[in-house]
Amino acid sequence: MTGVEVFLVDDRDPPSKRRMLVEALRLFVERGVDGTTVRDIAAASGYSNPALFKFFASKEELALHLFARCYTRLGERAAPATAPGRPFGERLDALMRAFGELLDEEPEVLLFTQDNLRLYLPRLSAEERGPSLLGLLRGLIGDGVASGEVTAEIPVDLLVAALSGTVAQYARMRHFDELPRGAALAALRPLVTRMLTP
C-alpha cells in the first residue's frame, strides 16, 4: 500500500473497497462532494455503482467515512509536532515540517479536511474527533505568547485563523498547480514568523 491507501483502508478491506476509497477521496478533493457522483466514483475505480453500496449506504456516508479518516490522520501528524516540552520555535518548525511532509505524501488529507470541516466535524463522535487541530494550534500559539515569542497584541484565535488559513490556502494552490513546481512549505516560515512575532 502506498500514499493515502495506507491510512484509508483496513487490511480486511477487499480490493474493490480499497480502490473506491482512494478514488472517491481524489474526486472529492478535485470536484467536491456535491460535484462527484456515485457513477464518477465507480468509473474511476473500475467497479459498478452497486459495488459502492455494498460498503456504504450513500455517497454522503462514504464522504463522512473519508473525512473521519483524514481528520484522524491530520491529528496524528500535528499532535507530536505541537506537543509541549520544547521551545516554541522548535515546535513551530516541527509543525511546518509535518504539514510539508503531509502535502508531499498525502495532500488529499489536508485539502479534504479543511474544505469539509464545517460540514462533517460536528457529525464525528468524540472519540473520532480526538485532539482538535485548532486546539493544538491554540496551545502552541498560547505557549508562544506566554514565552514572549508570539505577539500578545493580537488575540490567539485570530493568530490561529491566520496560520491555519495560510497553510490551507497554500495547500490548495500547490495541489492545483497555482504555485511554481517545488514550492516548499518551508518558504512560508518567514511569513508565519512575521505574522506571529511581536
PDB file of all heavy atoms in Angstrom, residues 143-165:
ATOM      1  N   ASP A 143       1.354  29.091  24.132  1.00  0.00           N
ATOM      2  CA  ASP A 143       2.671  28.917  24.770  1.00  0.00           C
ATOM      3  C   ASP A 143       3.671  29.937  24.225  1.00  0.00           C
ATOM      4  O   ASP A 143       4.518  30.439  24.966  1.00  0.00           O
ATOM      5  CB  ASP A 143       3.203  27.502  24.541  1.00  0.00           C
ATOM      6  CG  ASP A 143       2.435  26.444  25.323  1.00  0.00           C
ATOM      7  OD1 ASP A 143       1.618  26.809  26.204  1.00  0.00           O
ATOM      8  OD2 ASP A 143       2.635  25.243  25.044  1.00  0.00           O
ATOM      9  N   GLY A 144       3.556  30.250  22.928  1.00  0.00           N
ATOM     10  CA  GLY A 144       4.429  31.260  22.335  1.00  0.00           C
ATOM     11  C   GLY A 144       4.172  32.635  22.906  1.00  0.00           C
ATOM     12  O   GLY A 144       5.105  33.411  23.141  1.00  0.00           O
ATOM     13  N   VAL A 145       2.906  32.941  23.174  1.00  0.00           N
ATOM     14  CA  VAL A 145       2.566  34.226  23.812  1.00  0.00           C
ATOM     15  C   VAL A 145       3.156  34.258  25.220  1.00  0.00           C
ATOM     16  O   VAL A 145       3.782  35.247  25.631  1.00  0.00           O
ATOM     17  CB  VAL A 145       1.035  34.442  23.855  1.00  0.00           C
ATOM     18  CG1 VAL A 145       0.674  35.644  24.712  1.00  0.00           C
ATOM     19  CG2 VAL A 145       0.479  34.611  22.439  1.00  0.00           C
ATOM     20  N   ALA A 146       2.991  33.169  25.956  1.00  0.00           N
ATOM     21  CA  ALA A 146       3.486  33.100  27.335  1.00  0.00           C
ATOM     22  C   ALA A 146       5.000  33.259  27.402  1.00  0.00           C
ATOM     23  O   ALA A 146       5.528  33.862  28.346  1.00  0.00           O
ATOM     24  CB  ALA A 146       3.066  31.778  27.977  1.00  0.00           C
ATOM     25  N   SER A 147       5.705  32.751  26.398  1.00  0.00           N
ATOM     26  CA  SER A 147       7.173  32.849  26.399  1.00  0.00           C
ATOM     27  C   SER A 147       7.678  34.148  25.782  1.00  0.00           C
ATOM     28  O   SER A 147       8.886  34.399  25.763  1.00  0.00           O
ATOM     29  CB  SER A 147       7.786  31.660  25.648  1.00  0.00           C
ATOM     30  OG  SER A 147       7.503  31.749  24.258  1.00  0.00           O
ATOM     31  N   GLY A 148       6.763  34.956  25.245  1.00  0.00           N
ATOM     32  CA  GLY A 148       7.149  36.223  24.635  1.00  0.00           C
ATOM     33  C   GLY A 148       7.604  36.099  23.190  1.00  0.00           C
ATOM     34  O   GLY A 148       8.033  37.078  22.584  1.00  0.00           O
ATOM     35  N   GLU A 149       7.483  34.908  22.607  1.00  0.00           N
ATOM     36  CA  GLU A 149       7.917  34.699  21.225  1.00  0.00           C
ATOM     37  C   GLU A 149       6.814  34.989  20.216  1.00  0.00           C
ATOM     38  O   GLU A 149       7.073  35.052  19.012  1.00  0.00           O
ATOM     39  CB  GLU A 149       8.400  33.256  21.048  1.00  0.00           C
ATOM     40  CG  GLU A 149       9.631  32.939  21.884  1.00  0.00           C
ATOM     41  CD  GLU A 149       9.963  31.467  21.861  1.00  0.00           C
ATOM     42  OE1 GLU A 149      10.609  31.041  20.887  1.00  0.00           O
ATOM     43  OE2 GLU A 149       9.565  30.757  22.808  1.00  0.00           O
ATOM     44  N   VAL A 150       5.576  35.129  20.690  1.00  0.00           N
ATOM     45  CA  VAL A 150       4.429  35.438  19.844  1.00  0.00           C
ATOM     46  C   VAL A 150       3.774  36.702  20.391  1.00  0.00           C
ATOM     47  O   VAL A 150       3.666  36.881  21.612  1.00  0.00           O
ATOM     48  CB  VAL A 150       3.420  34.265  19.831  1.00  0.00           C
ATOM     49  CG1 VAL A 150       2.132  34.644  19.114  1.00  0.00           C
ATOM     50  CG2 VAL A 150       4.041  33.038  19.184  1.00  0.00           C
ATOM     51  N   THR A 151       3.328  37.548  19.500  1.00  0.00           N
ATOM     52  CA  THR A 151       2.717  38.804  19.911  1.00  0.00           C
ATOM     53  C   THR A 151       1.501  38.583  20.802  1.00  0.00           C
ATOM     54  O   THR A 151       0.699  37.689  20.560  1.00  0.00           O
ATOM     55  CB  THR A 151       2.310  39.649  18.683  1.00  0.00           C
ATOM     56  OG1 THR A 151       1.778  40.892  19.135  1.00  0.00           O
ATOM     57  CG2 THR A 151       1.270  38.944  17.821  1.00  0.00           C
ATOM     58  N   ALA A 152       1.389  39.417  21.823  1.00  0.00           N
ATOM     59  CA  ALA A 152       0.214  39.386  22.701  1.00  0.00           C
ATOM     60  C   ALA A 152      -0.795  40.444  22.268  1.00  0.00           C
ATOM     61  O   ALA A 152      -1.871  40.548  22.863  1.00  0.00           O
ATOM     62  CB  ALA A 152       0.644  39.605  24.150  1.00  0.00           C
ATOM     63  N   GLU A 153      -0.460  41.211  21.238  1.00  0.00           N
ATOM     64  CA  GLU A 153      -1.328  42.304  20.787  1.00  0.00           C
ATOM     65  C   GLU A 153      -2.487  41.816  19.920  1.00  0.00           C
ATOM     66  O   GLU A 153      -3.458  42.536  19.717  1.00  0.00           O
ATOM     67  CB  GLU A 153      -0.504  43.336  20.010  1.00  0.00           C
ATOM     68  CG  GLU A 153       0.522  44.032  20.882  1.00  0.00           C
ATOM     69  CD  GLU A 153       1.394  44.995  20.095  1.00  0.00           C
ATOM     70  OE1 GLU A 153       1.020  45.358  18.958  1.00  0.00           O
ATOM     71  OE2 GLU A 153       2.444  45.376  20.624  1.00  0.00           O
ATOM     72  N   ILE A 154      -2.378  40.631  19.384  1.00  0.00           N
ATOM     73  CA  ILE A 154      -3.428  40.067  18.530  1.00  0.00           C
ATOM     74  C   ILE A 154      -4.007  38.857  19.252  1.00  0.00           C
ATOM     75  O   ILE A 154      -3.251  38.022  19.752  1.00  0.00           O
ATOM     76  CB  ILE A 154      -2.856  39.650  17.159  1.00  0.00           C
ATOM     77  CG1 ILE A 154      -2.248  40.868  16.451  1.00  0.00           C
ATOM     78  CG2 ILE A 154      -3.921  38.994  16.288  1.00  0.00           C
ATOM     79  CD1 ILE A 154      -1.473  40.537  15.190  1.00  0.00           C
ATOM     80  N   PRO A 155      -5.326  38.735  19.336  1.00  0.00           N
ATOM     81  CA  PRO A 155      -5.924  37.585  20.025  1.00  0.00           C
ATOM     82  C   PRO A 155      -5.432  36.256  19.441  1.00  0.00           C
ATOM     83  O   PRO A 155      -5.256  36.112  18.225  1.00  0.00           O
ATOM     84  CB  PRO A 155      -7.428  37.756  19.797  1.00  0.00           C
ATOM     85  CG  PRO A 155      -7.611  39.221  19.535  1.00  0.00           C
ATOM     86  CD  PRO A 155      -6.349  39.663  18.837  1.00  0.00           C
ATOM     87  N   VAL A 156      -5.219  35.295  20.328  1.00  0.00           N
ATOM     88  CA  VAL A 156      -4.707  33.988  19.926  1.00  0.00           C
ATOM     89  C   VAL A 156      -5.573  33.366  18.837  1.00  0.00           C
ATOM     90  O   VAL A 156      -5.060  32.797  17.871  1.00  0.00           O
ATOM     91  CB  VAL A 156      -4.576  33.051  21.150  1.00  0.00           C
ATOM     92  CG1 VAL A 156      -4.316  31.610  20.731  1.00  0.00           C
ATOM     93  CG2 VAL A 156      -3.468  33.537  22.075  1.00  0.00           C
ATOM     94  N   ASP A 157      -6.898  33.464  18.963  1.00  0.00           N
ATOM     95  CA  ASP A 157      -7.773  32.849  17.962  1.00  0.00           C
ATOM     96  C   ASP A 157      -7.575  33.449  16.569  1.00  0.00           C
ATOM     97  O   ASP A 157      -7.687  32.740  15.571  1.00  0.00           O
ATOM     98  CB  ASP A 157      -9.246  32.949  18.376  1.00  0.00           C
ATOM     99  CG  ASP A 157      -9.603  31.916  19.441  1.00  0.00           C
ATOM    100  OD1 ASP A 157      -8.865  30.914  19.587  1.00  0.00           O
ATOM    101  OD2 ASP A 157     -10.621  32.099  20.119  1.00  0.00           O
ATOM    102  N   LEU A 158      -7.275  34.744  16.491  1.00  0.00           N
ATOM    103  CA  LEU A 158      -7.007  35.354  15.181  1.00  0.00           C
ATOM    104  C   LEU A 158      -5.686  34.846  14.610  1.00  0.00           C
ATOM    105  O   LEU A 158      -5.572  34.611  13.400  1.00  0.00           O
ATOM    106  CB  LEU A 158      -6.986  36.872  15.279  1.00  0.00           C
ATOM    107  CG  LEU A 158      -8.336  37.556  15.455  1.00  0.00           C
ATOM    108  CD1 LEU A 158      -8.162  39.073  15.543  1.00  0.00           C
ATOM    109  CD2 LEU A 158      -9.276  37.207  14.310  1.00  0.00           C
ATOM    110  N   LEU A 159      -4.697  34.648  15.475  1.00  0.00           N
ATOM    111  CA  LEU A 159      -3.421  34.103  15.013  1.00  0.00           C
ATOM    112  C   LEU A 159      -3.588  32.661  14.548  1.00  0.00           C
ATOM    113  O   LEU A 159      -2.987  32.248  13.549  1.00  0.00           O
ATOM    114  CB  LEU A 159      -2.373  34.202  16.124  1.00  0.00           C
ATOM    115  CG  LEU A 159      -1.963  35.619  16.519  1.00  0.00           C
ATOM    116  CD1 LEU A 159      -1.054  35.595  17.746  1.00  0.00           C
ATOM    117  CD2 LEU A 159      -1.292  36.342  15.361  1.00  0.00           C
ATOM    118  N   VAL A 160      -4.417  31.891  15.260  1.00  0.00           N
ATOM    119  CA  VAL A 160      -4.707  30.515  14.855  1.00  0.00           C
ATOM    120  C   VAL A 160      -5.371  30.516  13.477  1.00  0.00           C
ATOM    121  O   VAL A 160      -5.011  29.736  12.597  1.00  0.00           O
ATOM    122  CB  VAL A 160      -5.598  29.802  15.900  1.00  0.00           C
ATOM    123  CG1 VAL A 160      -6.156  28.492  15.353  1.00  0.00           C
ATOM    124  CG2 VAL A 160      -4.803  29.550  17.178  1.00  0.00           C
ATOM    125  N   ALA A 161      -6.345  31.420  13.287  1.00  0.00           N
ATOM    126  CA  ALA A 161      -7.035  31.511  11.997  1.00  0.00           C
ATOM    127  C   ALA A 161      -6.062  31.898  10.889  1.00  0.00           C
ATOM    128  O   ALA A 161      -6.105  31.333   9.785  1.00  0.00           O
ATOM    129  CB  ALA A 161      -8.175  32.535  12.083  1.00  0.00           C
ATOM    130  N   ALA A 162      -5.166  32.830  11.174  1.00  0.00           N
ATOM    131  CA  ALA A 162      -4.199  33.264  10.165  1.00  0.00           C
ATOM    132  C   ALA A 162      -3.259  32.127   9.780  1.00  0.00           C
ATOM    133  O   ALA A 162      -2.994  31.900   8.593  1.00  0.00           O
ATOM    134  CB  ALA A 162      -3.401  34.460  10.687  1.00  0.00           C
ATOM    135  N   LEU A 163      -2.771  31.394  10.770  1.00  0.00           N
ATOM    136  CA  LEU A 163      -1.847  30.299  10.494  1.00  0.00           C
ATOM    137  C   LEU A 163      -2.536  29.160   9.749  1.00  0.00           C
ATOM    138  O   LEU A 163      -2.051  28.699   8.709  1.00  0.00           O
ATOM    139  CB  LEU A 163      -1.230  29.783  11.804  1.00  0.00           C
ATOM    140  CG  LEU A 163      -0.265  28.607  11.685  1.00  0.00           C
ATOM    141  CD1 LEU A 163       0.897  28.939  10.753  1.00  0.00           C
ATOM    142  CD2 LEU A 163       0.247  28.201  13.055  1.00  0.00           C
ATOM    143  N   SER A 164      -3.673  28.715  10.252  1.00  0.00           N
ATOM    144  CA  SER A 164      -4.354  27.582   9.601  1.00  0.00           C
ATOM    145  C   SER A 164      -4.859  27.967   8.220  1.00  0.00           C
ATOM    146  O   SER A 164      -4.774  27.174   7.272  1.00  0.00           O
ATOM    147  CB  SER A 164      -5.494  27.046  10.474  1.00  0.00           C
ATOM    148  OG  SER A 164      -6.505  28.007  10.633  1.00  0.00           O
ATOM    149  N   GLY A 165      -5.356  29.185   8.063  1.00  0.00           N
ATOM    150  CA  GLY A 165      -5.838  29.640   6.760  1.00  0.00           C
ATOM    151  C   GLY A 165      -4.723  29.763   5.736  1.00  0.00           C
ATOM    152  O   GLY A 165      -4.895  29.404   4.562  1.00  0.00           O
TER     153      GLY A 165
END
